[in-house]
Amino acid sequence: MPNLRTLATAVAITLLASASSGALAANDLLSTQDIAAATKLRDAAMAGNVDENGVAYRLTESLTTEIGERLAGTPPADRAVEWAKAKFKALGYDKVYTEPVSFPLWTRGHEEASVVSPYPQRLVVTALGHSVGTNGPLQGDVVEFADLAALQAAKPGSLDGKIAYISHRMQRFKDGHGYGEAVGARAFGPSAAAKAGAKALLIRSIGTDHDRLAHTGMLDYAAGVPKIPAAALSNPDADLLSHMIARGQPVRVSLDLDCGEHGMATSYNVIGEITGSDKRAQVVTIGGHLDSWDPGTGAIDDAVGVGITMAAGALIHDLHLQPRRTIRVIAYMDEESGGYGGKAYANAHASQVKQHQIGAESDMGAGRIYELHAGVKQSAWPVIEQIGQVLAPLGIATVKTGGGAGEDPDAMVAKGMAWAELRQDATYYFDWHHTANDTLDKIEPAALGQQVAAYAVLAYLSAQAPGSFGSGEMPLPKPGW
Ligand SMILES: [Zn+2]
């Protein structure tokens, strides 16, 4: 998932103020040979990923079947690191290596909630990622808030002994921006509730479904504020709780969460490279994240992103199209609890921002791509438009405003790396995101050809571009939704 802060604030795009360098000379543009090679890549990706035998689908099936849930720092995530190394090698990548990532380890134990009075009933909940536990069942009367802003307006002490509850419902949109409007409740609700004196926080799941399954996801405790337990109710359970509260009597809830942090852990980003030719010290990065939340098997988030980008790099290798710049496919570790893999990569490569031509990440499930966005210097935009022309037959429009690289590359973008986004149709993504329903059956094998094609074309043509896209040269257009 893209960066919380980017989404939550929905920053308006700031277009570069500096003047364009005018029309590009022909030798600054991609050659007709490059365009022809990319067209061949595109068509091969489409032809090779039409069913369950496609490389991207097979990788996704393998990771979800042989590993499954893989919360960073747990044994399955460690097995996923070995899995990724083995797959990169089997796919013929020229160089395969790991880079360390350290992060706080968090685990989930049992989790239960119920209404004690006036209408005793069980509630379906799941702890928010990195929540503290309850140390045995706790009880409190519930106070409902329509949204995060309403909770933030609660006076200190006004919720002493209570359980705060945010009932705001996420809205469904093709571009997924309803997530940005709703996710603040999950991220910042716990500390807002604690400031007003609450002993725990419940939120309506950040999800667009009507399933009786709760959506987990990271919270963000504020420094200096007591950490209180926080959990999400499934959408139907949130409705149930609101209906009870609407009857006017105090509604008392019991919450029992056995979860918490256990010090620091170290795992690895796994990287596979297709070595470049004359500009091999420069890199194009694409990738997805290897870790997942624990209720499902992490199929749409983000086994499929790893599968799509690994398959895209492998196809360039298979067609013997040695790129000029090195193509680096990164399977990031621990995106979910705060983008630790992306930050570790950015720290390790902080002195090489200029050598990064562009970075992108596939982390919005398996829906079809419908737009290309990019944050590059103005004078490189005609090359992005050339890439867009190769993508156009895939139903992908090139859009000059908005977009963002994704949580993992964002750490390098913050240091000045140029970025691209291949925006996917996220209409259904948030029905399953971070739930037990994030499983392989949600992925349509025939949809993956288009995505492998798009990442292969983007990576290859970015690697071939005669000039720089502007990394490290000047302020680039900032990501914005
Ligand atoms: Zn993700």
Side-chain angles (χ1 to χ4, degrees):
M1 249 329 290
N3 187 299
L4 285 184
R5 223 157 255 114
T6 304
L7 282 166
T9 54
V11 187
I13 183 84
T14 316
L15 274 173
L16 206 60
S18 67
S20 150
S21 63
L24 285 190
N27 59 6
D28 291 327
L29 291 166
L30 289 159
S31 69
T32 51
Q33 294 94 315
D34 288 334
I35 298 292
T39 302
K40 198 172 132 191
L41 261 178
R42 179 193 72 199
D43 296 344
M46 289 297 283
N49 289 277
V50 295
D51 58 21
E52 294 178 1
N53 296 313
V55 173
Y57 187 82
R58 287 213 321 269
L59 289 166
T60 308
E61 189 270 347
S62 171
L63 182 54
T64 54
T65 303
E66 295 161 28
I67 310 287
E69 67 171 77
R70 44 197 185 279
L71 199 59
T74 63
D78 294 342
R79 291 199 290 278
V81 168
E82 296 306 314
W83 176 92
K85 282 156 63 179
K87 290 298 179 192
F88 275 128
K89 285 177 188 161
L91 289 166
Y93 277 74
D94 298 317
K95 194 174 160 195
V96 181
Y97 56 102
T98 60
E99 294 181 346
V101 184
S102 293
F103 48 85
L105 173 64
W106 179 84
T107 60
R108 182 193 309 279
H110 72 264
E111 40 196 22
E112 283 177 49
S114 58
V115 176
V116 178
S117 63
Y119 310 110
Q121 291 201 42
R122 185 178 60 90
L123 296 170
V124 172
V125 293
T126 194
L128 300 186
H130 290 248
S131 174
V132 296
T134 53
N135 281 315
L138 64 74
Q139 288 193 13
D141 290 350
V142 175
V143 181
E144 180 173 348
F145 294 89
D147 54 24
L148 174 64
L151 175 57
Q152 286 169 329
K155 295 203 166 53
S158 63
L159 296 178
D160 283 351
K162 310 282 191 191
I163 296 176
Y165 161 50
I166 302 174
S167 57
H168 180 253
R169 182 188 289 275
M170 178 183 164
Q171 301 299 313
R172 183 188 300 279
F173 296 100
K174 186 178 183 183
D175 68 1
H177 78 266
Y179 187 71
E181 295 169 353
V183 76
R186 192 186 79 207
F188 311 120
S191 291
K195 280 181 187 165
K199 56 164 69 169
L201 173 73
L202 292 172
I203 63 166
R204 177 188 288 276
S205 278
I206 311 302
T208 46
D209 58 300
H210 296 275
D211 296 321
R212 204 171 187 187
L213 295 174
H215 296 239
T216 191
M218 192 58 192
L219 56 65
D220 190 358
Y221 287 129
V225 177
K227 295 180 177 182
I228 60 169
L233 292 157
S234 81
N235 266 309
D237 288 273
D239 293 339
L240 180 62
L241 189 58
S242 290
H243 287 307
M244 287 185 185
I245 291 166
R247 281 164 165 72
Q249 295 181 57
V251 175
R252 192 162 185 82
V253 160
S254 171
L255 181 65
D256 186 3
L257 303 176
D258 176 21
C259 55
E261 290 188 348
H262 313 278
M264 296 296 284
T266 297
S267 185
Y268 300 91
N269 290 333
V270 186
I271 300 172
E273 288 186 358
I274 306 298
T275 308
S277 56
D278 62 315
K279 294 186 175 181
R280 71 170 64 88
Q282 297 178 28
V283 295
V284 169
T285 78
I286 57 174
H289 65 86
L290 203 46
D291 64 303
S292 77
W293 283 111
D294 48 329
T297 62
I300 60 164
D301 190 14
D302 184 29
V304 74
V306 171
I308 288 164
T309 53
M310 268 190 179
L315 187 65
I316 293 167
H317 171 268
D318 289 348
L319 295 191
H320 307 292
L321 291 170
Q322 191 187 20
R324 298 185 65 188
R325 294 179 182 81
T326 294
I327 293 172
R328 190 174 278 172
V329 180
I330 309 172
Y332 295 94
M333 179 52 67
D334 202 10
E335 185 272 345
E336 292 294 4
S337 68
Y340 284 93
K343 287 172 191 161
Y345 181 87
N347 288 334
H349 299 274
S351 64
Q352 300 149 20
V353 173
K354 269 196 163 186
Q355 288 96 302
H356 282 69
Q357 171 77 337
I358 199 163
E361 179 175 39
S362 171
D363 187 19
M364 194 65 98
R368 284 179 166 75
I369 295 165
Y370 66 100
E371 285 175 353
L372 167 66
H373 299 255
V376 300
K377 64 183 179 184
Q378 190 83 351
S379 59
W381 190 258
V383 178
I384 297 297
E385 286 182 333
Q386 286 186 291
I387 296 172
Q389 282 162 16
V390 181
L391 299 179
L394 302 173
I396 300 172
T398 303
V399 180
K400 203 168 180 179
T401 56
E407 173 89 21
D408 290 306
D410 270 354
M412 277 299 275
V413 170
K415 294 182 186 296
M417 181 178 74
W419 54 269
E421 178 194 356
L422 289 163
R423 181 169 293 185
Q424 293 170 264
D425 184 337
T427 304
Y428 301 106
Y429 180 69
F430 292 100
D431 287 354
W432 311 310
H433 179 249
H434 296 183
T435 74
N437 257 342
D438 178 359
T439 48
L440 184 66
D441 54 297
K442 311 306 182 303
I443 295 168
E444 185 195 343
L448 300 187
Q450 188 242 19
Q451 300 182 53
V452 175
Y455 275 93
V457 167
L458 173 69
Y460 180 73
L461 289 181
S462 298
Q464 299 306 98
S468 159
F469 285 170
S471 295
E473 290 180 27
M474 62 177 86
L476 294 168
K478 287 191 173 55
W481 211 240

